Amino acid sequence: MSLENTTPKPAPALDRADVRVRHDDGVGGSLRAFLDQIRSGDLGMLPVAVGLVVISIVFSSLNPIFLAPNNLVNLLFDCATVGVISLGIVCVLMVGEIDLSVGSISGFASAMVGTLWINHGWAVYEAIPAAMAVGAVIGGLYALLYTRLGMPSFISTLAGLLAILGMQLYVLGATGSINLPYESALVRFGQILVMPHWLSHSLAILPGLVALASGVRVIRQRHRANLSAQSFGRLVLKASVLTAVLEFAVYYLNLGRGVPWMFALFVALVMVLDYLLTRTKWGRSLFAVGGNREAARRAGIKVKRIYTSAFVLCSTLAALGGILSAARLASSSQQAGTGDVNLNAIAAAVIGGTSLFGGRGSAYSALLGIIVIQAISNGLTLLNLSSSLRYMITGGVLALAVIVDSLARRSRISHGRA
Amino acid sequence: MTGKTIGTLPRGEPILSLRGISKSFGAVSALSDIELDVHAGEVVALVGDNGAGKSTLVKVLAGVHRPTSGTISFCGREVLLDDPGTAMSLGIATVYQDLALCENLNVVANLFLGHEMKPWRLDEVSMEVRAWTLLNELAARIPSVREPVASLSGGQRQTVAIARSLLLDPKIIMLDEPTAALGVAQTAEVLNLIERVRDRGLGVVMISHNMEDVKAVADRIVVLRLGRNNGVFTRDASQQELVAAITGASENAVSRRIGRKEAGAFKAAEAGEGREIAP
């Protein structure tokens, strides 16, 4: 008998007992798991990454200004407004519904802030919550129509699109647009205010540190519970890559004006929603309702409340997005929230990987998706193309994004990943 | 298995009694005047043909459908089961025929759906450990609890659904066709499980079309036919008696088929006698 045989073999971890499962450890394993995942239609963030590289190459070769720091700073200012709206869209898409009126809600909210603040003399910190509350009420109304009367959200929000646009025009009255004062904090927040360099650099370290700390905690917990865990080395690698990427981005933006506070607000909202979606019972219920509504109901989830929370959150965030865009444009006008705002908000979520069919998605899809969409729109503006061409190109890109989503979904089904 | 309810319910006390339960969907009355008692530590098999109302009855008890009339008493108290959550919090666990799993969620998320540990900061590690413990008790062959349920086979999904029903330490478990999608070993495991659950003093209601499984574990066999009670049998009842109650006649497709088979076998035997066997 050899010596090896006498040493007792450690009991396999609780989740490693099945011999049929290949466990992808190490760098090679990670790569193989990643390729398998892509092949089965679980694309994750890949389309966005590829899209951003292609966009950067194409536009910067056509006009080098595209990648200039100050242009990117402008890009991030623009991202924050529609991005916040798109964040709400992620919530409703998650339960397999849609809100087509987010553009109108954002326009109405900006009109309300303008009239209450400038025409009626309210304080701006009173006008903003009031506009957001009205947004919440609209979402509650959609939820009521859907859960009590079974009215499809597609129809009710389409009706809402027109009705709320009407309300926006009514509120603005004959003048049609209200200018917001340039020296006010709100407009400065939407146009000028950037973080001090030291602060942006310190904040860029935080995500890596948090990932490291929570990762170490999870590894310890899992080992204590006799479960397999990812290796410490891989965790450190992930955290340092994340920190390096963020620090470089901040450094590059600081070569220009710096990181906009408005964009920081957007990112903070994304992180809060991500926590809610992935780490709370509410988020889990949202996924469950989107995946199989009847199963969720039978598991004791209050399905109507989940739908209501999704609709209310969506329209409240849409109102906030409208207020931010009023700040960005320094005006509340009849054009606010019209045109491609609706479509951009929905497409951003889908491009980022949130499924139109419910039950799949993440808060980060709003962030990444809106960067892609604004990059395209910004690049086309720099090229001085006529709006006819710009609409056609943007429409084509959106169609492409939805095609990728549909194909990926088909592939997921055939690979048994729903 | 860690049960809070062990020993709290003396064997033989009725946990659940139904009196005059009716349920109609529009003009169709799926159930009329159903009487049913389930005692602690007892396995009641619910049998009947397709459309006899078995699954409807289970859904009424699970709080999915509201009965049109009749009363349900649980542990001696009359209760209103208007919501799946109510039934679950009383201690009525259900494994549905369609399993009611969310395919986009992984096994752990499905097991704990609606009952997650630490609602504002999900405790994934404890949930995963509990999931593995439960699944191992059921001798489940689940490759990974972190894969979406969509990637599991029918039998694996069934095991997940059964494991979920045991999670909340229920007082009564209802299984709608629990062995329909299972292999030989898993079927035996589920039958063992049913006996273990019964021995812990829980009530079990089991729907099955498989008479062997029914006779193997049931203490009482309740027959439904066209939405009505059609007799209660012990497990010693003969196959013919049961089939007659299920189909409503001693002259039925099953008996005719058996008769034809016997006649055929007789003929074949007769024909074989005259033939010479080749060396």
Side-chain angles (χ1 to χ4, degrees):
Chain A
M1 214 180 240
S2 69
L3 264 175
E4 283 87 6
N5 283 348
T6 54
T7 51
K9 232 174 142 189
L14 211 46
D15 53 345
R16 288 292 165 92
D18 198 314
V19 291
R20 294 167 304 168
V21 185
R22 191 186 74 206
H23 298 291
D24 297 311
D25 297 314
V27 179
S30 312
L31 194 68
R32 192 165 48 171
F34 176 70
L35 288 177
D36 275 356
Q37 198 187 333
I38 300 297
R39 228 172 278 142
S40 69
D42 203 349
L43 301 180
M45 302 299 173
L46 189 72
V48 176
V50 172
L52 277 179
V53 169
V54 171
I55 290 165
S56 314
I57 292 173
V58 170
F59 283 125
S60 59
S61 66
L62 293 173
N63 186 345
I65 293 175
F66 180 73
L67 280 181
N70 266 334
N71 189 48
L72 294 186
V73 171
N74 271 335
L75 184 69
L76 295 189
F77 267 111
D78 289 332
C79 282
T81 57
V82 187
V84 170
I85 302 176
S86 180
L87 206 54
I89 288 289
V90 168
C91 297
V92 281
L93 286 184
M94 202 70 97
V95 293
E97 296 301 322
I98 196 141
D99 188 341
L100 296 173
S101 68
V102 282
S104 298
I105 295 173
S106 75
F108 182 49
S110 96
M112 271 192 67
V113 168
T115 42
L116 287 178
W117 180 25
I118 306 300
N119 295 359
H120 289 82
W122 288 35
V124 70
Y125 57 82
E126 293 166 346
I128 291 173
M132 285 174 69
V134 170
V137 169
I138 293 169
L141 188 66
Y142 290 148
L144 217 59
L145 288 173
Y146 180 71
T147 57
R148 302 284 161 189
L149 304 180
M151 191 170 174
S153 60
F154 183 83
I155 305 298
S156 59
T157 59
L158 200 58
L161 186 154
L162 272 181
I164 297 163
L165 179 61
M167 282 154 72
Q168 178 185 349
L169 300 184
Y170 178 82
V171 165
L172 287 171
T175 56
S177 92
I178 299 165
N179 290 325
L180 307 183
Y182 276 100
E183 67 281 6
S184 66
L186 183 64
V187 173
R188 282 166 53 80
F189 179 74
Q191 293 191 335
I192 304 168
L193 289 182
V194 294
M195 285 184 177
H197 291 191
W198 63 268
L199 184 61
S200 54
H201 276 296
S202 345
L203 285 181
I205 301 177
L206 266 185
L209 283 183
V210 170
L212 196 64
S214 71
V216 167
R217 214 178 53 105
V218 168
I219 290 177
R220 285 228 185 96
Q221 273 180 346
R222 289 184 69 92
H223 280 312
R224 216 177 299 141
N226 191 24
L227 292 168
S228 67
Q230 67 169 338
S231 71
F232 185 69
R234 205 199 282 191
L235 177 66
V236 171
L237 184 71
K238 268 190 205 163
S240 32
V241 167
L242 180 65
T243 310
V245 168
L246 289 178
E247 282 296 341
F248 177 75
V250 167
Y251 162 78
Y252 195 73
L253 291 172
N254 281 343
L255 292 179
R257 285 156 65 200
V259 183
W261 272 109
M262 191 157 76
F263 187 71
L265 170 71
F266 171 44
V267 172
L269 287 175
V270 168
M271 293 195 316
V272 168
L273 185 67
D274 180 63
Y275 179 86
L276 290 175
L277 286 178
T278 55
R279 301 296 307 275
T280 69
K281 183 176 175 172
W282 174 79
R284 196 51 59 81
S285 307
L286 220 57
F287 276 95
V289 170
N292 186 341
R293 180 191 170 156
E294 182 60 21
R297 188 172 86 88
R298 292 192 198 162
I301 292 173
K302 306 266 187 239
V303 174
K304 286 180 181 173
R305 276 189 216 169
I306 297 296
Y307 277 116
T308 308
S309 68
F311 279 115
V312 169
L313 202 54
C314 176
S315 56
T316 311
L317 285 171
L320 179 62
I323 297 164
L324 293 181
S325 66
R328 175 92 185 109
L329 300 170
S331 79
S332 308
S333 71
Q334 292 184 338
Q335 277 73 47
T338 58
D340 52 2
V341 172
N342 256 332
L343 198 55
N344 280 350
I346 295 168
V350 175
I351 288 175
T354 293
S355 175
L356 280 170
F357 308 99
R360 287 183 71 87
S362 92
Y364 285 101
S365 64
L367 175 63
L368 296 171
I370 199 63
I371 290 179
V372 170
I373 288 195
Q374 289 296 351
I376 294 172
S377 133
N378 180 293
L380 292 175
T381 311
L382 286 180
L383 293 183
N384 247 338
L385 290 180
S386 69
S387 56
S388 57
L389 269 175
R390 281 172 48 197
Y391 277 135
M392 281 190 264
I393 293 174
T394 315
V397 170
L398 300 192
L400 192 69
V402 177
I403 289 171
V404 169
D405 179 41
S406 303
L407 288 180
R409 178 171 187 257
R410 211 197 286 171
S411 177
R412 282 199 300 274
I413 288 171
S414 69
H415 285 79
R417 301 184 68 96
Chain B
M1 239 169 270
T2 54
K4 284 183 294 223
T5 50
I6 296 181
T8 54
L9 284 166
R11 214 185 155 95
E13 188 180 308
I15 305 180
L16 188 69
S17 10
L18 275 63
R19 293 288 170 265
I21 289 291
S22 303
K23 170 74 189 170
S24 41
F25 297 101
V28 182
S29 53
L31 296 173
S32 32
D33 257 346
I34 297 292
E35 313 270 318
L36 178 72
D37 285 297
V38 184
H39 300 81
E42 177 188 46
V43 178
V44 176
L46 213 52
V47 299
D49 249 336
N50 295 345
K54 307 178 301 275
S55 293
T56 310
L57 184 57
V58 163
K59 282 181 183 162
V60 165
L61 291 177
V64 174
H65 294 326
R66 262 184 154 168
T68 316
S69 63
T71 58
I72 302 171
S73 313
F74 189 78
C75 293
R77 243 168 357 105
E78 200 171 298
V79 290
L80 180 69
L81 302 173
D82 53 351
D83 181 51
T86 320
M88 246 181 284
S89 56
L90 282 174
I92 304 177
T94 313
V95 179
Y96 296 95
Q97 196 166 11
D98 60 7
L99 304 182
L101 298 170
C102 288
E103 301 212 330
N104 57 330
L105 296 180
N106 65 34
V107 174
V108 178
N110 265 290
L111 282 178
F112 285 86
L113 198 57
H115 308 280
E116 287 86 356
M117 295 180 180
K118 297 197 193 164
W120 292 105
R121 196 176 177 198
L122 297 183
D123 189 350
E124 295 286 354
V125 175
S126 307
M127 289 200 285
E128 189 168 336
V129 170
R130 180 95 170 89
W132 279 114
T133 323
L134 256 178
L135 291 169
N136 289 342
E137 274 170 17
L138 296 179
R141 305 268 180 279
I142 306 281
S144 163
V145 291
R146 288 296 177 194
E147 286 287 309
V149 164
S151 67
L152 300 184
S153 73
Q156 289 168 338
R157 291 181 200 197
Q158 190 117 39
T159 326
V160 172
I162 293 175
R164 180 166 74 176
S165 72
L166 292 172
L167 187 75
L168 294 176
D169 295 320
K171 294 197 179 67
I172 184 166
I173 294 187
M174 298 189 291
L175 302 138
D176 194 349
E177 293 279 359
T179 56
L182 296 186
V184 182
Q186 277 80 19
T187 301
E189 234 17 276
V190 167
L191 296 181
N192 286 345
L193 170 84
I194 289 176
E195 283 172 347
R196 282 209 299 275
V197 167
R198 171 186 58 196
D199 295 342
R200 273 170 51 187
L202 275 69
V204 179
V205 177
M206 169 186 164
I207 291 182
S208 183
H209 281 126
N210 187 332
M211 287 302 150
E212 263 177 54
D213 292 353
V214 166
K215 285 181 159 185
V217 292
D219 298 308
R220 280 190 302 136
I221 302 173
V222 174
V223 180
L224 293 188
R225 182 172 143 68
L226 300 177
R228 294 175 180 280
N229 282 105
N230 203 30
V232 178
F233 297 85
T234 61
R235 69 165 91 178
D236 311 318
S238 73
Q239 179 88 2
Q240 268 116 331
E241 278 179 291
L242 282 175
V243 172
I246 289 169
T247 56
S250 51
E251 229 300 290
N252 56 52
V254 181
S255 67
R256 279 197 298 277
R257 189 176 155 77
I258 291 171
R260 228 176 25 243
K261 254 195 181 161
E262 279 169 357
F266 181 67
K267 266 185 200 158
E270 253 186 354
E273 267 175 13
R275 203 183 300 149
E276 253 183 50
I277 297 161

